Amino acid sequence: MTTVKEDTILLGSGDLYLGQVDPNATETEIQAALVNVGAISGGATLTYKPTFHDIESANRGTIMSFLTKEEISFKSGILTWNLENLSKLSAASYSEDTTAGTRRIGIGGLKNVPINYLRFVHTKPDGKKLTVNIFRAQAQSGFEITFDPEKEVVLDAEFKALSVSGRDDGNLVEIIEEL
């Protein structure tokens, strides 16, 4: 019987950060630009979906398969209510009036959905970090806000990874694990 080491099983959630930064920026510039979007609910899911084109032979079956497309998405529920975070998920206009003590977000009629640098940091039971970086992430699935008196309001955010030109070590996402 094989024994599975405790540190090979990931449990729990993590912290989600978003910010507008050049995907080729230094780590110092990235950290300065990222903002923790607050508490998240329901964990997070990173999905990698490759598409292949198979070359079929009439007498031998599949003789070659070529990767033709890759899609990466990241999903997480944002629990902390913050209109500014909502503006990172949609084509929106956000403003604050400190004199009146109000925040405002206008959604609709705008065309540019922000492209963010997305970082998700999971802390393993041994205190080491597992970090997911999506260099160019864009929320493309919209959102739904449900005001239920029995449940907290959670914004389910889904981001699509957009490619970064000039990277030859993975241009959609990177996963870094501390050992």
Side-chain angles (χ1 to χ4, degrees), residues 49-74:
K49 181 181 174 191
T51 302
F52 290 88
H53 175 73
D54 292 338
I55 307 299
E56 303 285 338
S57 167
N59 63 338
R60 295 185 184 172
T62 303
I63 59 171
M64 186 64 74
S65 189
F66 295 99
L67 179 66
T68 59
K69 183 178 178 182
E70 297 173 294
E71 294 179 47
I72 290 182
S73 65
F74 182 88

Side-chain angles (χ1 to χ4, degrees), residues 40-135:
I40 63 173
S41 176
T45 303
L46 177 69
T47 303
Y48 172 71
K49 181 181 174 191
T51 302
F52 290 88
H53 175 73
D54 292 338
I55 307 299
E56 303 285 338
S57 167
N59 63 338
R60 295 185 184 172
T62 303
I63 59 171
M64 186 64 74
S65 189
F66 295 99
L67 179 66
T68 59
K69 183 178 178 182
E70 297 173 294
E71 294 179 47
I72 290 182
S73 65
F74 182 88
K75 297 178 188 177
S76 183
I78 301 172
L79 178 64
T80 308
W81 184 253
N82 183 329
L83 288 182
E84 190 172 8
N85 290 340
L86 193 58
S87 72
K88 292 174 175 51
L89 306 177
S90 61
S93 172
Y94 173 79
S95 62
E96 256 184 66
D97 184 341
T98 54
T99 306
T102 60
R103 294 184 199 137
R104 179 191 179 280
I105 188 165
I107 301 170
L110 304 172
K111 300 294 180 204
N112 294 324
V113 175
I115 297 172
N116 291 284
Y117 191 104
L118 182 149
R119 176 170 286 170
F120 179 76
V121 180
H122 168 78
T123 303
K124 300 187 295 184
D126 63 3
K128 304 285 185 175
K129 309 277 187 205
L130 183 75
T131 302
V132 175
N133 291 317
I134 297 179
F135 313 112

